[in-house]
Amino acid sequence: MGVKIEIFRMMLYLSFPVAMFWISNQAEYFEEYIVKRKRKHLEDFKERMRARKEQQRLKEISAESEN
């Protein structure tokens, strides 16, 4: 009985990383889940940076007008 459990554990230990590697290297998976998500995050980041620069410019303009 112990040998069967050890064989099962070894197959599980070997098959899990191989399966994850195979799934992550599928082009459809990569395009759908990774690239689209990064594009969305990139657009959000760009919008935040635009807002931050606009706030900095407004602060500079208000500081110049006070002087």
Side-chain angles (χ1 to χ4, degrees), residues 26-45:
Q26 299 299 310
E28 298 86 21
Y29 170 81
F30 186 79
E31 177 67 30
E32 186 174 338
Y33 294 102
I34 306 299
V35 174
K36 288 181 182 177
R37 186 179 306 149
K38 285 189 177 187
R39 284 184 188 151
K40 181 183 178 297
H41 289 298
L42 183 62
E43 292 300 320
D44 293 342
F45 177 73

Side-chain angles (χ1 to χ4, degrees), residues 2-37:
V3 174
K4 291 180 183 179
I5 292 174
E6 290 298 321
I7 291 172
F8 173 74
R9 285 179 52 198
M10 183 59 83
M11 291 302 295
L12 184 66
Y13 292 156
L14 293 175
S15 63
F16 181 75
V18 171
M20 291 298 110
F21 182 76
W22 181 80
I23 289 169
S24 66
N25 282 314
Q26 299 299 310
E28 298 86 21
Y29 170 81
F30 186 79
E31 177 67 30
E32 186 174 338
Y33 294 102
I34 306 299
V35 174
K36 288 181 182 177
R37 186 179 306 149

